[in-house]
Amino acid sequence: MAAKVLVYTKDIADLFSRICAYFGTHGFSIQDCRIHTTRTGYALDSFIVLPIDTSDDLRTQATLIEHELTLALDNSAEKPTTTSNYIGVRPSRLSKAFPVPPVVELHPDEGSHNWRLDLIATDRPGLLGDIAQVFVSNAIDLQTAKVMTLGD
């Protein structure tokens, strides 16, 4: 069972990173997300997440996610933590047996005002949060994103 989480808030520079860090540090795997920034400075982001521990009941966690994620986003002074230190999750046997070398491609859009990043890699806990942190570190303003986790 997956949870769909919608976030509508005033856009801030590290919003995507904060949301990804929250999910990573609270034991959720982001399976899909859509990021949209309005012309009026608001963000409408949707995430489909799964608990890494499959014994967790998402129905009971829904209110907790709503409350804690709101607090994490309200605390703009606190920097998001990296999610690569998530303990207790090992890569699957399939990803070890069939590793996918990372492929990163950067393409300009039609008007060359924006760029599109295509990334293919083996999934791991905290991967999306770590990618988002690279954007923050390099002052990259993420306007739109489509993220999918396929297979393992």
Side-chain angles (χ1 to χ4, degrees), residues 15-75:
L15 179 64
F16 182 63
S17 178
R18 287 178 177 280
I19 296 170
C20 292
Y22 169 81
F23 287 130
T25 57
H26 287 81
F28 290 96
S29 173
I30 299 170
Q31 298 299 299
D32 186 270
C33 75
R34 303 284 189 258
I35 308 301
H36 303 282
T37 305
T38 69
R39 291 185 184 124
T40 57
Y42 281 84
L44 175 60
D45 303 343
S46 68
F47 293 81
I48 296 177
V49 298
L50 294 172
I52 293 173
D53 181 359
T54 56
S55 66
D56 290 345
D57 179 23
L58 282 176
R59 290 178 196 249
T60 59
Q61 292 184 351
T63 304
L64 187 63
I65 293 170
E66 183 178 317
H67 176 72
E68 288 183 344
L69 184 54
T70 300
L71 288 176
L73 297 179
D74 280 346
N75 190 357

Side-chain angles (χ1 to χ4, degrees), residues 7 11 21-22 33 55 58 63 82 106 128 136 140 145 148-149 152:
V7 177
D11 191 29
Y22 169 81
C33 75
S55 66
L58 282 176
T63 304
T82 181
L106 196 58
L128 191 55
V136 171
I140 296 171
M148 288 183 287
T149 301
D152 195 50

